[in-house]
Amino acid sequence: MAHMTSRAQNSDQPAPTALPALTVGFDLDMTLIDSRPGIHACYLALAERTGTYVDADLAITRLGPPLADELINWFPADEVPAVADLYREMYPSIAIAATPAMPGAPEAIAAVRAAGGRAIVVTAKYEPNAKLHLAHLGIDADAVIGNLWAEQKAEALREEGASVYVGDHVGDVRGARTADALSVAVATGPCDADELRAAGADVVLGDLTEFPRWLSDYLSARA
């Protein structure tokens, strides 16, 4: 009888609520990859090809926004679409092999997978070139969505069910917040830690080497 009473008491308790599946989004340039060497080389080649001066040293200090936002500093507005197409055409043969992974990038993706989650990439970079970078570096993302910047990234983050978005730029923070995702910022790009915090980042890490430990702590607290 006591056994039956115990079962009856247990049946009155609400069933535990299952947590939603973990999906973590990552930015690409200066988050997962150090794209400065490749982009620098590509801007120099573009300048030579078009005969138009481009300060490649300056350009790589402000990576993050769409390509057209940089090209407008060097080319007339009506030429920017054609020059952007030329840049993207030249890019694979110049920039892919020259671009290394950021410290901790493979381990960050692996940490998400080890937790049973999905790791996706949402970037402003031209999507075919983003996929070439990841393939070259052996980084296997569950989805790669390109051509989205700042608040536009929220579209893909919502569609993929991402609850966390990791990026290096204040635009990435805005994208995460627009998607109601936790904004995890890494101070490895053009925006320093104070700027990222001021933009509303929920978490600021020095770089991705700190991400697996943070994710473990976050999931423990979430459970």
Side-chain angles (χ1 to χ4, degrees), residues 87-184:
Y87 175 96
R88 293 180 180 123
E89 177 187 323
M90 299 168 63
Y91 191 94
S93 63
I94 296 170
I96 301 299
T99 299
M102 293 294 284
E107 293 81 3
I109 300 293
V112 175
R113 294 271 175 70
R118 298 172 65 245
I120 66 170
V121 174
V122 182
T123 175
K125 189 177 287 296
Y126 180 54
E127 188 173 303
N129 288 340
K131 291 178 177 178
L132 287 175
H133 275 299
L134 295 170
H136 176 74
L137 295 170
I139 297 175
D140 183 21
D142 291 287
V144 181
I145 304 98
N147 311 301
L148 297 175
W149 163 241
E151 288 84 356
Q152 296 172 342
K153 294 186 174 188
E155 304 167 20
L157 294 172
R158 287 199 193 103
E159 186 173 327
E160 296 290 337
S163 56
V164 177
Y165 185 58
V166 186
D168 66 280
H169 198 284
V170 294
D172 299 323
V173 177
R174 300 203 307 269
R177 294 180 68 84
T178 302
D180 294 322
L182 192 76
S183 172
V184 177

Side-chain angles (χ1 to χ4, degrees), residues 18-75:
L19 291 171
L22 173 68
T23 298
V24 178
F26 291 88
D27 176 50
L28 186 64
D29 286 7
M30 303 311 299
T31 300
L32 289 174
I33 65 172
D34 184 351
S35 50
R36 291 172 297 185
I39 289 176
H40 188 276
C42 204
Y43 275 131
L44 292 180
L46 182 70
E48 183 178 358
R49 179 83 171 264
T50 61
T52 299
Y53 174 72
V54 176
D55 187 339
D57 292 335
L58 176 59
I60 63 169
T61 68
R62 48 194 187 198
L63 299 179
L67 174 62
D69 288 18
E70 182 62 45
L71 293 179
I72 196 66
N73 296 306
W74 314 107
F75 296 89

